[in-house]
Amino acid sequence: MKLDTKAMRHLTAEDWRVLTACEIGSKNHEVIPTPLIESISKLRGGASRVHKSISALAKVGLIARLKEAKYDGYRLTYGGLDYLALHTYASRKEVYSVGSRIGVGKESDILAVADDRGVQRVLKIHRLGRISFRTVKANRDYLRKRHGGSWMYLSRLAAEKEYAFMRALHDEGFPVPEPIAQSRHTVLMHLVDAFPLRQISAVPDPAALYGELISMILRLARHGLIHGDFNEFNILIKEEKKTEPSAKGKEDAEATTGEEEETLSVTPIVIDFPQMVSMDHQNAEMYFDRDVNCVKRFFERRFHFVSSQPGPFFKDAKKTVGKDGAKRLDAAVEASGFSKKALKDLEAAIREQQATRGEHSGEEYDERLTDEEDEDEDDDDNTEGEDGDADEVNGDNIKADEPEMSKHDPEADPSGIGMKSLSISTET
C-alpha cells in the first residue's frame, strides 16, 4: 500500500476525533456500529456532524463500509491507521514531512521521512497479512478465535516487539539502527547510510566479514536472543574509508614522505526484529541453526567462501547464555511490558502465513501480485466507500510498471527524495 498524505491537510479536528473513535471501536468490533462511533467521538454537532466526518473519511479511504454487514457501520482501514500514526508523530514533532517509499519487505513498507529541521529518518510500517489475500482467507477463522484479533492488531504487535528489541539491542551496543519512537503499527528510527548485503558483489575480506556475522549470532545468544531471520536481506553493510600511512612510510619511519593510502572497511548493521525469539524458545535450536546456515550458504554462493571450522552449534551457544555478565535481553524485553500472550499471538500468525505460502522467513517479498491474486484481493476486501462503490482499502497493488525499489533498503540513504510536509491539526 502506498501512503498518500495529501488528504491529511484537509482533515479537521472533528475528523480526527471520529477517526480515533473508529480505532477505539475496532478493538472489540470488526465493523464499528455507527451509533458507537457517535457515542465515542462526542462531537458538539451531534449525529449530523459525525456523519459529515464519516463521509469525509470514507471518501479518502480511511474507513470503509463492509458489504452485506448485518448493521450500519464502518471499519478502520490500514490507510486510516497510517494517518493516526503520522498524526501522533506530527503532534510530537518527530515527523514533519513524508517522502517516497524506499523499500518493500514481506510484511512492511519503508518510507523516507524528515523532522521539522530536515533531518531524514526512516519510518517502517508493518502490514501483516498483505503477502497474499489467500493467506488472509485461510487464517480468518483462526483470527476470530482471539479477542480483538485482526491483521492490524498483529501489525501493532510486530511494531511493538521490533521497537522493544531494537531499543534493548541499541542500548547494549549492538550494531542496529537507533530507534526513535513507535506508534501503533509503525516504528520510527534514525537513518543508516548502508547497502543491503544481498546487493554487495564483493568485499575486501570475506573471511573477516563472515567471522563478524557469526560472532554477532553468538553474541546475541549470550544475551539470550536468536534473530530468527539472520540473512542477506536483513543485514546492511556500511562502508567506511580509513586513511593509513603507506607501506613505504611504514618501512622507513624516519624518512616518512607523508604518503597515505585509503583502505575500505565494512561494518554489518542488523535490521528486522519482529521474529526474534529467546534462547529458551521451544524451537530455539531450529532458529539458531537456520540463522547460521543462511550466512554459510550466502557466503559460499556469493563470495565462494567456505569456513574451515564447523558450527557454531546451538548446544555450545546455549552454555554461554548470561555468561561474563551478559544481560538477558529476552527477559528484559518481556519485563518492559511485551507479554508472553502477545508473543504467542504474533508467532502463531507468522507461522500460519509461512505455512500457507510455503515460504521461509528469509525470503524477501519483492514479487508482483498476479492478476489472479488481484481478483482475490478485490473479492476478499468486499468493502465500499461512502458513495457505495467498491473500494480497495487494505492496500494498493504493487503495479508491474512501478519502478523497482531503491537499492538502499529500510535504513538506506533517501537523499534526493522529495518530501511532502504534513499539515495536521493537533487540536482535540
Side-chain angles (χ1 to χ4, degrees), residues 11-27 32 36-37 40-43 53 57 62-63 76 80-81 83-85 87-88 184 425 427-428:
L11 296 184
T12 65
E14 289 81 5
D15 295 338
W16 286 112
R17 286 182 68 91
V18 172
L19 188 58
T20 302
C22 291
E23 180 188 28
I24 295 171
S26 67
K27 293 179 180 179
I32 309 101
L36 181 60
I37 298 175
I40 297 174
S41 56
K42 296 179 180 178
L43 296 186
S53 289
L57 296 172
L62 304 185
I63 60 174
L76 183 69
L81 200 63
Y83 269 42
L84 286 168
H87 186 263
T88 298
R184 296 170 175 86
S425 170
E427 299 176 11
T428 58

XYZ file of all heavy atoms in Angstrom, residues 11-27 32 36-37 40-43 53 57 62-63 76 80-81 83-85 87-88 184 425 427-428:
311
model
N -8.081 17.369 6.732
C -8.865 16.811 7.827
C -8.991 17.829 8.965
O -8.015 18.481 9.349
C -8.214 15.529 8.352
C -8.128 14.345 7.384
C -7.562 13.124 8.083
C -9.489 14.021 6.777
N -10.175 17.941 9.506
C -10.430 18.863 10.610
C -10.223 18.143 11.944
O -10.074 16.912 11.991
C -11.866 19.393 10.547
O -12.773 18.295 10.747
C -12.143 20.037 9.193
N -10.257 18.918 13.022
C -10.127 18.323 14.353
C -11.260 17.335 14.611
O -11.059 16.287 15.253
C -10.120 19.426 15.405
N -12.455 17.634 14.097
C -13.592 16.720 14.262
C -13.361 15.414 13.512
O -13.704 14.333 13.995
C -14.886 17.375 13.773
C -15.405 18.503 14.652
C -14.685 19.826 14.383
O -13.851 19.873 13.458
O -14.971 20.805 15.101
N -12.767 15.518 12.309
C -12.473 14.310 11.529
C -11.501 13.402 12.289
O -11.656 12.173 12.311
C -11.865 14.687 10.177
C -12.838 15.455 9.295
O -14.061 15.337 9.527
O -12.386 16.183 8.388
N -10.499 14.012 12.913
C -9.530 13.220 13.683
C -10.209 12.552 14.874
O -9.871 11.402 15.225
C -8.377 14.103 14.161
C -7.415 14.474 13.073
C -7.208 15.717 12.549
C -6.527 13.592 12.370
N -6.254 15.664 11.559
C -5.819 14.380 11.428
C -6.265 12.229 12.428
C -4.874 13.840 10.569
C -5.329 11.690 11.570
C -4.640 12.482 10.648
N -11.143 13.236 15.514
C -11.856 12.637 16.644
C -12.676 11.434 16.189
O -12.715 10.399 16.873
C -12.769 13.667 17.306
C -12.039 14.706 18.144
C -13.018 15.652 18.812
N -13.790 14.972 19.828
C -13.446 14.898 21.118
N -12.322 15.460 21.520
N -14.220 14.282 21.998
N -13.318 11.554 15.051
C -14.112 10.443 14.530
C -13.208 9.282 14.122
O -13.524 8.105 14.382
C -14.982 10.914 13.346
C -15.659 9.723 12.663
C -16.028 11.918 13.816
N -12.076 9.585 13.493
C -11.145 8.531 13.098
C -10.590 7.815 14.335
O -10.458 6.582 14.350
C -9.998 9.128 12.271
C -9.035 8.132 11.608
C -9.784 7.193 10.674
C -7.949 8.870 10.839
N -10.284 8.578 15.368
C -9.821 7.982 16.622
C -10.918 7.132 17.256
O -10.648 6.067 17.816
C -9.377 9.086 17.602
O -8.356 9.875 17.003
C -8.859 8.480 18.895
N -12.150 7.573 17.151
C -13.279 6.802 17.673
C -13.399 5.462 16.951
O -13.701 4.428 17.571
C -14.573 7.605 17.528
N -13.149 5.480 15.652
C -13.180 4.232 14.878
C -12.082 3.286 15.342
O -12.283 2.064 15.424
C -13.032 4.532 13.390
S -14.447 5.370 12.645
N -10.921 3.834 15.654
C -9.824 3.000 16.149
C -10.185 2.379 17.493
O -9.943 1.185 17.723
C -8.551 3.826 16.279
C -7.372 3.002 16.783
C -6.155 3.853 17.101
O -6.314 5.038 17.443
O -5.027 3.315 17.036
N -10.749 3.173 18.378
C -11.135 2.650 19.689
C -12.208 1.575 19.545
O -12.145 0.518 20.178
C -11.647 3.809 20.583
C -10.511 4.786 20.875
C -12.238 3.267 21.882
C -10.962 6.059 21.570
N -13.184 1.835 18.686
C -14.252 0.865 18.483
C -13.784 -0.421 17.834
O -14.372 -1.492 18.052
N -12.702 -0.353 17.036
C -12.212 -1.547 16.332
C -11.565 -2.558 17.270
O -11.299 -3.690 16.866
C -11.215 -1.133 15.244
O -10.042 -0.588 15.818
N -11.312 -2.167 18.521
C -10.727 -3.106 19.471
C -11.684 -4.252 19.791
O -11.253 -5.356 20.115
C -10.329 -2.378 20.764
C -9.190 -1.386 20.571
C -8.848 -0.670 21.867
C -7.710 0.321 21.649
N -7.364 1.072 22.891
N -17.418 -1.256 13.108
C -17.842 -0.439 14.247
C -19.221 0.144 13.956
O -19.390 0.855 12.963
C -16.836 0.690 14.523
C -15.405 0.147 14.628
C -17.181 1.425 15.798
C -14.578 0.335 13.398
N -22.069 3.687 17.805
C -20.918 3.620 18.706
C -19.893 4.697 18.347
O -19.283 5.307 19.239
C -20.277 2.234 18.644
C -19.065 2.008 19.561
C -19.456 2.210 21.016
C -18.482 0.613 19.352
N -19.697 4.929 17.046
C -18.785 5.986 16.606
C -19.277 7.336 17.121
O -18.504 8.157 17.611
C -18.673 6.007 15.064
C -18.106 4.685 14.548
C -17.794 7.168 14.609
C -18.073 4.577 13.027
N -18.593 7.530 20.971
C -17.192 7.692 21.374
C -16.666 9.071 20.989
O -15.943 9.709 21.755
C -16.320 6.587 20.744
C -16.746 5.212 21.258
C -14.836 6.822 21.061
C -16.029 4.054 20.581
N -17.001 9.539 19.794
C -16.444 10.804 19.310
C -16.998 12.011 20.067
O -16.288 13.004 20.270
C -16.690 10.959 17.809
O -18.064 10.852 17.514
N -18.268 11.974 20.474
C -18.877 13.036 21.284
C -18.664 14.440 20.690
O -18.136 15.339 21.353
C -18.334 12.996 22.716
C -18.684 11.723 23.463
C -18.099 11.725 24.874
C -18.460 10.437 25.598
N -17.866 10.375 26.965
N -19.028 14.594 19.426
C -18.886 15.903 18.789
C -20.044 16.833 19.182
O -21.159 16.380 19.435
C -18.845 15.737 17.261
C -17.659 14.954 16.679
C -17.711 15.009 15.162
C -16.336 15.485 17.192
N -18.228 13.871 9.072
C -16.834 13.411 9.175
C -16.681 11.997 8.634
O -15.692 11.666 7.973
C -16.366 13.465 10.633
O -16.198 14.790 11.069
N -14.072 10.901 5.747
C -13.059 9.860 5.967
C -13.221 8.701 4.987
O -12.241 8.159 4.480
C -13.157 9.339 7.413
C -12.838 10.353 8.519
C -13.164 9.769 9.884
C -11.381 10.775 8.459
N -10.064 6.129 4.486
C -9.523 5.908 5.833
C -10.426 5.003 6.660
O -9.971 4.356 7.605
C -9.329 7.251 6.550
C -8.453 8.271 5.816
C -8.237 9.506 6.678
C -7.118 7.657 5.411
N -11.692 4.969 6.321
C -12.632 3.989 6.866
C -13.436 3.451 5.689
O -13.444 4.050 4.610
C -13.571 4.594 7.933
C -14.396 5.745 7.344
C -12.783 5.071 9.149
C -15.441 6.288 8.323
N -12.088 0.407 10.237
C -10.871 1.180 10.040
C -9.986 0.476 9.022
O -9.818 -0.745 9.068
C -10.131 1.311 11.371
C -8.849 2.151 11.388
C -9.175 3.625 11.177
C -8.115 1.954 12.721
N -6.287 4.449 7.319
C -6.693 5.204 8.490
C -5.722 5.030 9.645
O -5.404 5.983 10.367
N -5.225 3.803 9.805
C -4.248 3.541 10.865
C -2.933 4.270 10.572
O -2.286 4.796 11.487
C -4.007 2.036 10.979
C -3.403 1.536 12.294
C -4.344 1.825 13.453
C -3.102 0.046 12.216
N -2.649 7.134 8.995
C -2.869 8.550 9.290
C -2.813 8.805 10.800
O -2.263 9.822 11.245
C -4.220 9.000 8.724
C -4.145 9.550 7.312
C -3.356 8.925 6.345
C -4.863 10.675 6.946
C -3.287 9.434 5.058
C -4.800 11.189 5.653
C -4.003 10.558 4.709
O -3.916 11.063 3.439
N -3.392 7.909 11.583
C -3.382 8.090 13.030
C -1.953 8.037 13.578
O -1.591 8.810 14.472
C -4.240 7.010 13.697
C -5.755 7.199 13.550
C -6.496 5.945 13.976
C -6.233 8.397 14.371
N -1.141 7.131 13.033
C 0.255 7.040 13.477
C 1.015 8.311 13.108
O 1.756 8.871 13.929
C 0.923 5.813 12.854
N -0.239 11.234 12.594
C -0.777 12.326 13.403
C -0.092 12.370 14.773
O 0.228 13.446 15.296
C -2.286 12.129 13.580
C -2.974 13.256 14.283
N -3.243 13.225 15.629
C -3.440 14.450 13.835
C -3.846 14.349 15.985
N -3.989 15.111 14.914
N 0.161 11.192 15.335
C 0.858 11.115 16.628
C 2.283 11.630 16.509
O 2.745 12.429 17.336
C 0.863 9.666 17.142
O -0.486 9.233 17.351
C 1.628 9.556 18.453
N 1.455 2.733 17.145
C 0.570 1.753 16.508
C 1.377 0.706 15.749
O 2.179 0.018 16.335
C -0.448 2.477 15.634
C -1.366 3.376 16.475
C -2.217 4.286 15.635
N -3.160 5.036 16.443
C -2.879 6.190 17.047
N -1.664 6.749 16.913
N -3.785 6.812 17.772
N -3.877 19.145 12.021
C -4.427 19.838 13.172
C -4.187 19.003 14.409
O -4.499 17.823 14.436
C -5.931 20.049 12.979
O -6.513 20.514 14.167
N -5.408 19.835 17.322
C -6.468 20.122 18.283
C -7.230 18.863 18.619
O -7.330 17.950 17.819
C -7.434 21.155 17.689
C -6.791 22.492 17.354
C -7.774 23.415 16.698
O -8.968 23.091 16.711
O -7.354 24.467 16.176
N -7.757 18.808 19.789
C -8.569 17.649 20.200
C -10.000 18.079 20.433
O -10.309 19.249 20.584
C -7.995 17.058 21.492
O -7.986 18.060 22.494
C -6.606 16.524 21.257
